[in-house]
Amino acid sequence: MTDSDLSRVLTLERFFPYRLSILSNTVSGIIADTYKDKFAISITEWRIMAVLGEYPGISADEVSLKTHIEKSIISRAVSKLLQRKLIEREFDPEDRRRSMLQLSPTGKSVYNDVVPTSYEYEEKLLCCFNDEERRQFSDLIDRLHQHAGALQDDEQHS
Amino acid sequence: MTDSDLSRVLTLERFFPYRLSILSNTVSGIIADTYKDKFAISITEWRIMAVLGEYPGISADEVSLKTHIEKSIISRAVSKLLQRKLIEREFDPEDRRRSMLQLSPTGKSVYNDVVPTSYEYEEKLLCCFNDEERRQFSDLIDRLHQHAGALQDDEQHS
DNA sequence: GCAGGTTGGTTGCTAATGCAACCATAAGTG
DNA sequence: CACTTATGGTTGCATTAGCAACCAACCTGC
């Protein structure tokens, strides 16, 4: 026991969850700047557009699953993107609740502009790693993500 | 050029900034659950308390620098923590603008409860890595963080 | 010692977030 | 066919974040 009454001190700067958070925010922040100024798109909006580029025609719910963004947030972002005519929406005739979303022509041109810039930035970011280190980093992230997901499920069951 | 008019598709799930963001949110989220229910403390509030445990007596501004949290958010969180008597505040007689913050006795007891749990969780999380992998991961994070910081500074100067 | 600039901190305002309640459609059950 | 349950999506509401304007205390050069 120290004289400060703290039985053990947490060193925030060395705490993994904190370091991940800071790193992630820094990285996402810089990259968001590249399209925020040019197209006035938020990170959330860009992620929606990104999955629609990958999976044209999916529903809002599927977008939510793929981006890990709350469905209410998706709903509002979608209506904003519709207003700005960056995406288009139809409804599934087989199931009239289900929306089918895709990028509009304008949305596609924005997409085509943002994607290379994003990859360029990713490259610029990762250039401090060699190929072997990239593979390692990628592998470690995947494994940690999977493990964290398993932990999360455990907590929910208890 | 594909028939979808997209010159190049971005695979969000494999995009590093995105993967970091998801991982970070998962990790921080689970750990926050451990003290959110018990003490009704948010991540922001906990981070403030954490640096005060490490550096008792520092000012709000220093807390902001160490946690990377906006000073306005710090300001509001501090007044909330003061109300709840989790921290204490005095003002520097040498510079009466400057606050000197520290954990209160109650704050310390909360701190003493949360810290071991947090470390336990960190351990539980990292147990999917061996020692060598932990060192690697830690090293890669640090280097990437440093590199990203440098990139950020570059952007601001241009 | 006082005008101009800095720094520490607070507050106002707007936007974004997250939860829960809700509505409409669909699917399963007796 | 009703009747319940599940699903996709929207909306209301309370909280939080983030920027900019601001105030008050300090510091500097004259």
Side-chain angles (χ1 to χ4, degrees), chain A residues 39-105:
Chain A
F39 301 110
I41 299 172
S42 72
I43 293 185
T44 302
E45 287 162 348
W46 167 246
R47 286 193 183 158
I48 293 173
M49 293 184 65
V51 295
L52 291 183
E54 243 186 303
Y55 307 97
I58 63 175
S59 68
D61 197 50
E62 288 166 316
V63 172
S64 172
L65 286 175
K66 287 187 187 304
T67 57
H68 291 210
I69 298 172
E70 265 277 323
K71 64 175 187 166
S72 67
I73 298 170
I74 298 285
S75 171
R76 286 186 250 259
V78 160
S79 54
K80 213 165 153 189
L81 291 170
L82 283 169
Q83 270 181 24
R84 297 180 56 193
K85 300 203 194 309
L86 290 168
I87 66 175
E88 292 165 350
R89 177 169 61 180
E90 286 181 88
F91 288 93
D92 188 344
E94 305 293 309
D95 180 346
R96 299 206 318 284
R97 294 169 304 180
R98 190 179 201 77
S99 61
M100 301 184 307
L101 304 167
Q102 61 175 350
L103 295 173
S104 70

Side-chain angles (χ1 to χ4, degrees), chain B residues 60-61 71-72 75-76 89 97 99:
Chain B
D61 195 51
K71 64 176 189 165
S72 66
S75 171
R76 286 186 247 257
R89 176 168 65 179
R97 295 170 305 181
S99 60

Side-chain angles (χ1 to χ4, degrees), chain A residues 28-46 84 110 113-114 117-118, chain B residues 152 155:
Chain A
S28 292
I30 309 176
I31 205 163
D33 287 342
T34 68
Y35 52 78
K36 193 176 63 185
D37 297 335
K38 211 168 175 181
F39 301 110
I41 299 172
S42 72
I43 293 185
T44 302
E45 287 162 348
W46 167 246
R84 297 180 56 193
V110 169
D113 195 314
V114 173
T117 315
S118 296
Chain B
Q152 199 173 31
E155 307 243 323

Side-chain angles (χ1 to χ4, degrees), chain A residues 136-158:
Chain A
Q136 278 173 0
F137 191 55
S138 177
D139 176 55
L140 294 172
I141 288 179
D142 282 345
R143 282 167 53 199
L144 197 52
H145 180 229
Q146 200 173 351
H147 186 59
L151 285 179
Q152 200 172 28
D153 292 343
D154 286 355
E155 306 244 323
Q156 274 160 11
H157 295 160
S158 65

Side-chain angles (χ1 to χ4, degrees), chain B residues 9-151:
Chain B
V9 171
L10 184 135
T11 309
L12 196 62
E13 298 100 62
R14 290 284 88 198
F15 190 57
F16 268 104
Y18 173 75
R19 289 160 71 194
L20 273 175
S21 167
I22 298 298
L23 177 60
S24 161
N25 287 343
T26 308
V27 167
S28 292
I30 309 175
I31 205 165
D33 287 343
T34 67
Y35 51 78
K36 193 176 61 184
D37 295 335
K38 210 167 175 183
F39 301 110
I41 299 173
S42 71
I43 292 185
T44 302
E45 287 162 348
W46 167 246
R47 286 192 184 160
I48 292 172
M49 292 182 66
V51 295
L52 291 184
E54 241 186 307
Y55 307 98
I58 64 175
S59 68
D61 195 51
E62 289 167 315
V63 172
S64 172
L65 286 175
K66 287 187 189 303
T67 56
H68 291 211
I69 298 172
E70 264 278 322
K71 64 176 189 165
S72 66
I73 300 169
I74 298 285
S75 171
R76 286 186 247 257
V78 160
S79 54
K80 212 164 153 190
L81 290 170
L82 282 169
Q83 270 181 24
R84 298 179 55 193
K85 300 204 194 309
L86 290 168
I87 65 175
E88 293 165 352
R89 176 168 65 179
E90 287 181 87
F91 287 94
D92 188 343
E94 305 292 309
D95 180 347
R96 300 204 319 281
R97 295 170 305 181
R98 190 179 203 79
S99 60
M100 300 184 308
L101 304 167
Q102 61 176 350
L103 296 173
S104 70
T106 320
K108 284 178 184 171
S109 76
V110 170
Y111 183 95
N112 282 333
D113 195 313
V114 173
V115 167
T117 315
S118 297
Y119 275 130
E120 261 170 47
Y121 173 75
E122 186 188 37
E123 180 50 38
K124 220 198 258 180
L125 185 71
L126 292 177
C127 75
C128 65
F129 293 163
N130 62 33
D131 286 353
E132 174 59 16
E133 286 167 340
R134 288 183 194 205
R135 268 193 299 276
Q136 276 174 1
F137 190 56
S138 176
D139 176 56
L140 294 173
I141 288 179
D142 282 345
R143 281 166 54 199
L144 197 53
H145 180 229
Q146 201 172 352
H147 185 60
L151 286 178

